[in-house]
Protein backbone atom coordinates (compact mmCIF):
# COMPACT_ATOMS: atom_id res chain seq x y z
CA UNK A 1 0.00 0.00 0.00
CA UNK A 2 1.28 3.45 -0.83
CA UNK A 3 1.76 6.39 1.49
CA UNK A 4 -0.89 8.89 2.52
CA UNK A 5 0.07 12.57 2.68
CA UNK A 6 -2.36 14.65 4.68
CA UNK A 7 -3.21 18.15 3.48
CA UNK A 8 -4.13 19.15 -0.04
CA UNK A 9 -2.31 16.25 -1.66
CA UNK A 10 -2.96 12.50 -1.21
CA UNK A 11 -0.93 9.73 -2.76
CA UNK A 12 -1.84 6.02 -2.82
CA UNK A 13 -4.80 4.11 -1.35
CA UNK A 14 -6.33 3.96 2.12
CA UNK A 15 -7.56 0.64 3.55
CA UNK A 16 -10.44 0.62 6.03
CA UNK A 17 -11.63 -2.76 7.26
CA UNK A 18 -10.52 -4.41 4.05
CA UNK A 19 -12.40 -1.90 1.94
CA UNK A 20 -10.35 0.19 -0.39
CA UNK A 21 -11.27 3.79 -1.14
CA UNK A 22 -9.54 6.84 -2.51
CA UNK A 23 -9.29 10.03 -0.44
CA UNK A 24 -10.55 13.09 -2.30
CA UNK A 25 -8.39 16.04 -1.26
CA UNK A 26 -10.92 18.61 -2.49
CA UNK A 27 -10.14 21.73 -4.45
CA UNK A 28 -6.99 23.64 -3.59
CA UNK A 29 -7.67 27.04 -2.08
CA UNK A 30 -6.53 30.07 -4.08
CA UNK A 31 -5.19 33.26 -2.51
CA UNK A 32 -7.62 36.20 -2.37
CA UNK A 33 -7.37 38.69 -5.22
CA UNK A 34 -5.37 41.81 -4.44
CA UNK A 35 -7.58 44.87 -4.13
CA UNK A 36 -6.97 47.71 -6.54
CA UNK A 37 -6.23 51.05 -4.93
CA UNK A 38 -8.00 54.37 -5.49
CA UNK A 39 -5.59 56.95 -4.09
CA UNK A 40 -7.23 60.23 -3.14
CA UNK A 41 -4.61 62.97 -2.84
CA UNK A 42 -5.82 66.33 -1.60
CA UNK A 43 -4.53 69.75 -0.62
CA UNK A 44 -6.30 72.88 0.60
CA UNK A 45 -3.61 75.46 1.46
CA UNK A 46 -4.57 78.04 4.08
CA UNK A 47 -4.22 80.84 1.53
CA UNK A 48 -6.84 79.34 -0.80
CA UNK A 49 -10.63 79.09 -0.66
CA UNK A 50 -11.73 76.36 1.77
CA UNK A 51 -12.97 73.17 0.10
CA UNK A 52 -15.04 70.32 1.54
CA UNK A 53 -12.40 67.72 0.78
CA UNK A 54 -13.64 65.47 3.59
CA UNK A 55 -17.04 65.34 1.89
CA UNK A 56 -15.43 64.32 -1.39
CA UNK A 57 -13.42 61.58 0.32
CA UNK A 58 -16.58 60.37 2.06
CA UNK A 59 -18.49 60.30 -1.23
CA UNK A 60 -15.80 58.16 -2.89
CA UNK A 61 -15.51 55.80 0.07
CA UNK A 62 -19.29 55.42 0.29
CA UNK A 63 -19.60 54.69 -3.43
CA UNK A 64 -17.30 51.67 -3.01
CA UNK A 65 -19.03 50.52 0.18
CA UNK A 66 -22.57 50.83 -1.20
CA UNK A 67 -21.63 48.78 -4.25
CA UNK A 68 -20.19 46.10 -1.93
CA UNK A 69 -16.96 46.36 -3.86
CA UNK A 70 -14.63 46.72 -0.87
CA UNK A 71 -13.14 43.29 -1.62
CA UNK A 72 -12.10 44.60 -5.05
CA UNK A 73 -11.33 48.26 -4.44
CA UNK A 74 -9.62 50.07 -1.58
CA UNK A 75 -9.80 53.83 -1.07
CA UNK A 76 -6.69 55.36 0.49
CA UNK A 77 -6.14 59.02 1.32
CA UNK A 78 -3.10 61.28 1.30
CA UNK A 79 -4.10 64.65 2.74
CA UNK A 80 -2.38 68.05 2.92
CA UNK A 81 -0.12 66.83 0.12
CA UNK A 82 3.27 68.51 -0.33
CA UNK A 83 5.66 68.30 -3.26
CA UNK A 84 7.73 65.58 -1.61
CA UNK A 85 4.58 63.52 -0.98
CA UNK A 86 3.77 63.06 -4.66
CA UNK A 87 6.48 60.51 -5.44
CA UNK A 88 6.17 58.88 -2.03
CA UNK A 89 2.41 58.32 -2.27
CA UNK A 90 2.60 56.79 -5.75
CA UNK A 91 5.48 54.50 -4.78
CA UNK A 92 3.89 53.41 -1.51
CA UNK A 93 0.30 52.81 -2.62
CA UNK A 94 0.80 51.69 -6.24
CA UNK A 95 -2.68 52.90 -7.22
CA UNK A 96 -4.85 51.95 -10.15
CA UNK A 97 -6.58 55.33 -9.95
CA UNK A 98 -4.96 58.57 -8.79
CA UNK A 99 -7.48 61.22 -7.73
CA UNK A 100 -6.35 64.75 -6.91
CA UNK A 101 -8.79 67.08 -5.17
CA UNK A 102 -8.01 70.72 -4.50
CA UNK A 103 -7.17 73.89 -6.38
CA UNK A 104 -5.74 74.37 -9.84
CA UNK A 105 -4.39 77.25 -11.85
CA UNK A 106 -4.47 77.47 -15.68
CA UNK A 107 -0.77 78.38 -15.82
CA UNK A 108 0.81 77.10 -12.61
CA UNK A 109 -1.07 73.80 -12.39
CA UNK A 110 -2.42 72.07 -9.30
CA UNK A 111 -1.70 73.55 -5.89
CA UNK A 112 -0.26 71.60 -2.96
CA UNK A 113 0.98 72.88 0.41
CA UNK A 114 4.39 73.81 1.73
CA UNK A 115 5.75 73.26 5.24
CA UNK A 116 3.79 76.27 6.51
CA UNK A 117 0.53 75.21 4.89
CA UNK A 118 0.78 77.84 2.17
CA UNK A 119 0.05 77.20 -1.51
CA UNK A 120 2.80 75.71 -3.64
CA UNK A 121 2.43 75.08 -7.37
CA UNK A 122 3.35 71.74 -8.92
CA UNK A 123 5.34 72.39 -12.12
CA UNK A 124 3.12 70.93 -14.88
CA UNK A 125 6.01 69.44 -16.86
CA UNK A 126 7.45 67.80 -13.75
CA UNK A 127 4.07 66.30 -12.84
CA UNK A 128 3.70 64.85 -16.33
CA UNK A 129 7.21 63.42 -16.11
CA UNK A 130 6.39 61.84 -12.73
CA UNK A 131 3.53 59.91 -14.28
CA UNK A 132 5.75 58.93 -17.17
CA UNK A 133 8.18 57.37 -14.69
CA UNK A 134 5.54 55.67 -12.53
CA UNK A 135 2.80 55.00 -15.08
CA UNK A 136 2.86 51.22 -14.71
CA UNK A 137 -0.37 49.96 -13.15
CA UNK A 138 -2.17 53.32 -13.29
CA UNK A 139 -5.34 53.12 -15.40
CA UNK A 140 -6.76 56.55 -14.68
CA UNK A 141 -5.85 59.94 -13.21
CA UNK A 142 -8.56 62.35 -12.07
CA UNK A 143 -7.62 66.01 -11.57
CA UNK A 144 -10.75 67.20 -9.77
CA UNK A 145 -9.61 70.82 -9.59
CA UNK A 146 -10.21 73.98 -11.59
CA UNK A 147 -8.37 74.62 -14.86
CA UNK A 148 -6.61 71.25 -15.13
CA UNK A 149 -7.45 70.28 -18.73
CA UNK A 150 -4.01 71.22 -20.07
CA UNK A 151 -2.29 69.32 -17.28
CA UNK A 152 -4.54 66.31 -17.92
CA UNK A 153 -3.58 66.38 -21.61
CA UNK A 154 0.12 66.28 -20.69
CA UNK A 155 -0.37 63.35 -18.29
CA UNK A 156 -2.44 61.49 -20.91
CA UNK A 157 0.74 60.99 -22.92
CA UNK A 158 1.69 58.41 -20.29
CA UNK A 159 -1.56 57.22 -18.64
CA UNK A 160 -4.47 55.61 -20.54
CA UNK A 161 -7.28 57.81 -19.22
CA UNK A 162 -7.07 61.22 -17.55
CA UNK A 163 -9.89 63.50 -16.41
CA UNK A 164 -9.30 67.23 -16.13
CA UNK A 165 -11.48 70.32 -15.75
CA UNK A 166 -11.84 72.70 -18.69
CA UNK A 167 -12.51 75.72 -16.45
CA UNK A 168 -13.58 76.63 -12.95
CA UNK A 169 -15.80 74.21 -11.03
CA UNK A 170 -17.88 74.70 -7.89
CA UNK A 171 -17.07 72.65 -4.82
CA UNK A 172 -20.49 70.98 -4.85
CA UNK A 173 -20.07 70.11 -8.53
CA UNK A 174 -16.68 68.52 -7.86
CA UNK A 175 -18.11 66.42 -5.02
CA UNK A 176 -21.12 65.32 -7.06
CA UNK A 177 -18.92 64.45 -10.04
CA UNK A 178 -16.61 62.34 -7.86
CA UNK A 179 -19.57 60.52 -6.29
CA UNK A 180 -21.03 59.67 -9.70
CA UNK A 181 -17.75 58.61 -11.25
CA UNK A 182 -16.74 56.23 -8.48
CA UNK A 183 -20.24 54.84 -8.15
CA UNK A 184 -19.91 53.71 -11.75
CA UNK A 185 -16.41 52.34 -11.16
CA UNK A 186 -17.51 50.46 -8.02
CA UNK A 187 -20.45 48.83 -9.81
CA UNK A 188 -18.14 47.54 -12.54
CA UNK A 189 -18.75 50.13 -15.25
CA UNK A 190 -15.88 51.12 -17.54
CA UNK A 191 -13.94 54.35 -17.13
CA UNK A 192 -15.73 55.87 -20.13
CA UNK A 193 -19.20 54.88 -18.91
CA UNK A 194 -18.45 56.04 -15.36
CA UNK A 195 -17.32 59.41 -16.71
CA UNK A 196 -20.55 59.86 -18.66
CA UNK A 197 -22.61 58.75 -15.64
CA UNK A 198 -20.84 61.35 -13.51
CA UNK A 199 -21.60 64.15 -15.97
CA UNK A 200 -25.19 62.97 -16.31
CA UNK A 201 -25.48 62.97 -12.52
CA UNK A 202 -24.65 66.68 -12.47
CA UNK A 203 -27.47 67.33 -14.93
CA UNK A 204 -29.93 65.11 -13.03
CA UNK A 205 -29.30 67.03 -9.80
CA UNK A 206 -29.33 70.42 -11.49
CA UNK A 207 -25.71 71.02 -10.53
CA UNK A 208 -23.82 73.32 -12.94
CA UNK A 209 -20.68 72.63 -14.92
CA UNK A 210 -21.51 69.22 -16.41
CA UNK A 211 -19.59 70.30 -19.52
CA UNK A 212 -16.43 71.19 -17.57
CA UNK A 213 -15.03 67.67 -16.92
CA UNK A 214 -13.07 66.32 -19.89
CA UNK A 215 -11.92 62.73 -20.45
CA UNK A 216 -8.61 62.66 -22.32
CA UNK A 217 -7.10 59.39 -23.48
CA UNK A 218 -3.66 58.20 -24.40
CA UNK A 219 -3.39 57.35 -28.12
CA UNK A 220 -4.70 53.83 -28.57
CA UNK A 221 -6.16 53.63 -25.06
CA UNK A 222 -9.51 51.96 -24.46
CA UNK A 223 -12.04 53.78 -22.27
CA UNK A 224 -13.83 50.45 -21.79
CA UNK A 225 -11.26 49.47 -19.15
CA UNK A 226 -12.91 48.26 -15.93
CA UNK A 227 -10.84 49.10 -12.86
CA UNK A 228 -11.82 46.29 -10.51
CA UNK A 229 -11.66 43.37 -12.95
Amino acid sequence: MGDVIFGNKQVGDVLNGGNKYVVNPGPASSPPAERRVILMMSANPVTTQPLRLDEEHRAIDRAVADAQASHLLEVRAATAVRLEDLQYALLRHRPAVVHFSGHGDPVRGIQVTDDRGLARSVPPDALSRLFEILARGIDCVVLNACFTEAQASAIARHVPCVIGMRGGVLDKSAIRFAAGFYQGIAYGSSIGTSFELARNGLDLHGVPHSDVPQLITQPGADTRTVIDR
Side-chain angles (χ1 to χ4, degrees), residues 103-229:
H103 294 280
D105 181 270
V107 177
R108 296 177 295 169
I110 61 173
Q111 306 290 296
V112 294
T113 63
D114 64 12
D115 292 337
R116 296 176 296 168
L118 304 178
R120 181 73 181 272
S121 298
V122 182
D125 291 343
L127 184 63
S128 176
R129 173 63 177 152
L130 174 59
F131 281 105
E132 180 182 9
I133 297 168
L134 297 178
R136 183 175 180 181
I138 299 177
D139 292 322
C140 183
V141 172
V142 181
L143 301 180
N144 203 18
C146 299
F147 305 107
T148 50
E149 183 182 18
Q151 215 160 14
S153 296
I155 295 172
R157 293 198 294 265
H158 317 297
V159 174
C161 297
V162 185
I163 295 172
M165 300 298 160
R166 175 171 289 174
V169 59
L170 296 175
D171 197 17
K172 64 179 180 180
S173 300
I175 295 170
R176 176 63 64 183
F177 177 83
F181 179 73
Y182 290 103
Q183 177 176 258
I185 293 295
Y187 274 103
S189 295
S190 68
I191 293 173
T193 298
S194 298
F195 173 76
E196 294 299 339
L197 286 170
R199 295 215 298 185
N200 177 249
L202 296 180
D203 290 332
L204 287 173
H205 287 87
V207 179
H209 301 148
S210 64
D211 60 336
V212 172
Q214 302 294 312
L215 175 58
I216 304 163
T217 59
Q218 187 179 28
D222 191 349
T223 60
R224 293 174 297 179
T225 297
V226 177
I227 299 297
D228 62 357
R229 299 296 187 270

Side-chain angles (χ1 to χ4, degrees), residues 1 4 6 10 12-24:
M1 182 176 67
V4 178
F6 295 96
Q10 184 269 333
D13 303 321
V14 179
L15 295 179
N16 181 18
N19 296 321
K20 182 177 179 181
Y21 63 92
V22 177
V23 176
N24 184 0

